[in-house]
């Protein structure tokens, strides 16, 4: 006789795609200290414990200040490889079978690290994950929106020789005061070269930024999108387009986008017909990878097994994969449901 499966085990077991994940946000303190030591770089925190204690944020900017500082110990190609490989192993262990990963080249090139060092280290880990786990991953190059568009254009040009390794461009960092319209030209250049586009919008910024991401940057997904709920017309548009929103519950909690997970808008988004997915954003900083995000939001909002299935299927629908590959992965979700007694 089959054993009853708990909702926790079901979450662990169900195949998932992760679509909102900053590779620099997977940099665990233990690995950070190890890499800092081998690169002979001093970290301002004396111990792993002290560093972890600093992970208390009142808003996005307080987090970003620590996140950019942490990334400062990454120097060699092997460092980028090790960080990416650690994430891919973790994701594989949580039944993530496909990931679309953000990286922030300007965080590194502005410190004198070559673009090729960053991309080659990250991409080599992606190739190894395919070989070792059969797990697929694609890369999304994000522009830092607190910097000017000239810097984004310079980075875009540096990326062109590595075009075959990058699927899409994105927009991240400090949102308020840095609207998508600031990057209209570089996104147009990117689309002209065949890149897909995404943008963080409506995390701390207003619904208007989500409109701009849609209309000016012509994005294929909105990252976060929480504030779309302030605008009925926008909700209708996003639902009609079936525009994916890559939602990050533990991130929203840690950055105080929501006061408590029980107040998280995920369920409301689903009820309004939006195509939402669950993601971990910066798991090393926010206290959980994808399964912890699924579990925390499931408990907070009392989600059902059907909701979880919907979210897992949405994650594949929202990928940049070919339709045939999406279908194959959704079939794996179906097989998982079939095998599960609840
Ligand atoms: N960079 C890393 N995480 C981010 C987030 N949640 N919002 C904006 N930029 C980011
Ligand atoms: Zn993010």
């Amino acid at each position: 006789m089959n054993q009853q499966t708990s909702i926790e085990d079901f979450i662990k077991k169900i195949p998932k795609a992760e679509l909102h994940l900053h590779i620099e946000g997977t940099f665990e303190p233990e690995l950070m200290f190890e890499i800092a030591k081998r690169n002979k770089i001093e970290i301002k925190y004396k111990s792993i414990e002290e560093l972890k204690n600093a992970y208390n944020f009142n808003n996005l900017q307080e987090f970003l200040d620590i996140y950019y500082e942490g990334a400062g110990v990454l120097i060699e190609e092997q460092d980028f490889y090790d960080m990416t490989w650690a994430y891919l192993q973790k994701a594989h262990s949580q039944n993530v079978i496909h990931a679309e990963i953000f990286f922030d080249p300007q965080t590194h090139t502005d410190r004198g690290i070559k673009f090729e060092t960053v991309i080659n280290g990250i991409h080599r880990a992606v190739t190894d994950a395919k070989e070792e786990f059969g797990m697929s991953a694609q890369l999304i190059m994000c522009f830092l929106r607190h910097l000017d568009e000239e810097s984004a254009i310079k980075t875009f040009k540096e990326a062109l020789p590595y075009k075959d390794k990058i699927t899409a461009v994105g927009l991240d960092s400090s949102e308020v005061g840095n609207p998508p319209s600031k990057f209209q030209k570089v996104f147009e250049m990117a689309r002209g070269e065949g890149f897909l586009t995404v943008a963080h919008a409506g995390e701390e910024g207003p619904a208007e930024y989500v409109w701009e991401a849609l209309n000016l940057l012509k994005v294929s997904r909105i990252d976060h999108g929480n504030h779309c709920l302030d605008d009925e017309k926008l909700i209708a548009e996003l639902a009609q387009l079936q525009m994916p929103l890559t939602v990050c519950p533990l991130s929203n909690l840690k950055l105080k986008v929501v006061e408590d997970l029980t107040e998280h808008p995920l369920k409301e988004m689903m009820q309004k017909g939006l195509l939402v997915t669950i993601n971990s954003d910066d798991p090393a900083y926010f206290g959980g990878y994808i399964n912890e995000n699924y579990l925390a939001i499931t408990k907070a909002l009392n989600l059902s097994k059907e909701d979880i299935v919907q979210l897992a299927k949405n994650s594949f629908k929202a990928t940049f994969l070919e339709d045939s590959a999406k279908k194959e992965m959704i079939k794996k979700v179906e097989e998982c449901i079939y095998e599960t007694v609840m």
Side-chain angles (χ1 to χ4, degrees):
M1 210 163 77
N2 279 320
Q3 286 270 307
Q4 282 260 319
T5 307
S6 66
I7 201 107
E8 188 167 356
D9 285 344
F10 185 59
I11 286 169
K12 286 181 186 164
K13 199 174 149 199
I14 199 163
K16 295 162 284 278
E18 175 140 72
L19 306 179
H20 185 153
L21 181 282
H22 301 262
I23 202 63
E24 292 88 352
T26 69
F27 201 13
E28 291 286 350
E30 290 76 6
L31 185 59
M32 196 184 288
F33 269 78
E34 190 185 315
I35 290 180
K37 194 170 161 199
R38 76 187 184 210
N39 288 337
K40 301 184 174 54
I41 292 175
E42 187 106 33
I43 295 184
K44 83 173 188 198
Y45 303 94
K46 283 191 194 66
S47 65
I48 290 169
E49 269 329 289
E50 206 180 297
L51 175 60
K52 286 184 182 171
N53 286 338
Y55 292 178
N56 271 309
F57 316 109
N58 288 304
N59 52 45
L60 174 60
Q61 193 58 51
E62 286 188 14
F63 154 69
L64 289 170
D65 292 342
I66 286 197
Y67 160 90
Y68 293 130
E69 200 176 302
V73 308
L74 298 160
I75 308 288
E76 309 290 343
E77 183 185 311
Q78 191 62 36
D79 304 339
F80 291 92
Y81 176 91
D82 290 347
M83 176 177 65
T84 310
W85 182 243
Y87 164 69
L88 291 164
Q89 279 181 300
K90 182 77 183 178
H92 171 63
S93 78
Q94 296 203 340
N95 283 320
V96 171
I97 61 172
H98 177 74
E100 296 181 0
I101 300 173
F102 297 133
F103 70 110
D104 288 344
Q106 289 153 296
T107 299
H108 314 296
T109 52
D110 279 9
R111 301 182 285 116
I113 310 296
K114 287 196 178 121
F115 189 94
E116 66 168 308
T117 303
V118 179
I119 189 83
N120 287 344
I122 296 172
H123 192 263
R124 185 155 55 87
V126 164
T127 307
D128 285 356
K130 181 75 191 169
E131 210 163 282
E132 201 154 316
F133 310 137
M135 176 183 170
S136 53
Q138 296 179 353
L139 299 178
I140 303 172
M141 174 173 78
C142 283
F143 301 120
L144 299 181
R145 69 204 303 159
H146 67 273
L147 302 178
D148 60 26
E149 194 181 36
E150 276 314 302
S151 170
I153 291 173
K154 182 168 166 267
T155 304
F156 175 68
K157 288 182 179 161
E158 277 174 343
L160 283 177
Y162 306 93
K163 205 176 145 178
D164 59 326
K165 296 184 167 71
I166 302 167
T167 303
V169 301
L171 188 64
D172 65 2
S173 193
S174 322
E175 188 181 8
V176 175
N178 295 299
S181 53
K182 184 176 159 187
F183 296 92
Q184 199 173 340
K185 189 165 139 202
V186 71
F187 270 64
E188 198 177 312
M189 290 166 77
R191 291 194 312 278
E193 288 286 347
F195 293 97
L196 293 166
T197 63
V198 297
H200 283 55
E203 180 185 18
E204 286 186 344
E208 180 55 29
Y209 286 16
V210 180
W211 279 116
E212 285 191 11
L214 290 179
N215 295 333
L216 304 181
L217 306 187
K218 312 220 184 295
V219 295
S220 300
R221 294 195 295 250
I222 297 285
D223 297 312
H224 293 293
N226 300 51
H227 284 280
C228 76
L229 290 174
D230 303 338
D231 181 338
E232 286 297 332
K233 225 176 118 195
L234 178 58
I235 296 168
E237 178 78 0
L238 293 168
Q240 198 266 330
L241 292 170
Q242 284 295 283
M243 175 62 56
L245 303 182
T246 62
V247 172
C248 307
L250 288 176
S251 165
N252 292 161
L253 180 66
K254 293 288 175 178
L255 302 185
K256 300 199 163 46
V257 171
V258 294
E259 276 303 311
D260 193 282
L261 271 191
T262 56
E263 290 158 25
H264 195 280
L266 179 93
K267 208 166 179 170
E268 189 186 344
M269 289 168 157
M270 292 174 86
Q271 282 161 352
K272 294 198 159 155
L274 298 172
L275 199 154
V276 286
T277 69
I278 299 287
N279 308 272
S280 64
D281 205 5
D282 302 285
Y285 292 89
F286 299 151
Y289 286 77
I290 198 162
N291 284 352
E292 288 77 30
N293 273 273
Y294 267 82
L295 189 60
I297 199 69
T298 294
K299 285 190 170 160
L301 302 181
N302 198 21
L303 299 183
S304 64
K305 181 190 164 196
E306 288 70 29
D307 292 329
I308 292 160
V309 169
Q310 182 70 60
L311 289 163
K313 285 186 178 173
N314 284 355
S315 76
F316 295 111
K317 271 190 213 160
T319 62
F320 293 144
L321 294 166
E322 302 272 325
D323 281 351
S324 58
K326 288 186 188 186
K327 259 195 197 154
E328 288 257 314
M329 291 184 185
I330 291 172
K331 206 168 124 208
K332 289 187 179 167
V333 175
E334 304 279 3
E335 284 163 7
C336 171
I337 304 164
Y338 185 72
E339 286 165 10
T340 308
V341 182
M342 302 253 332

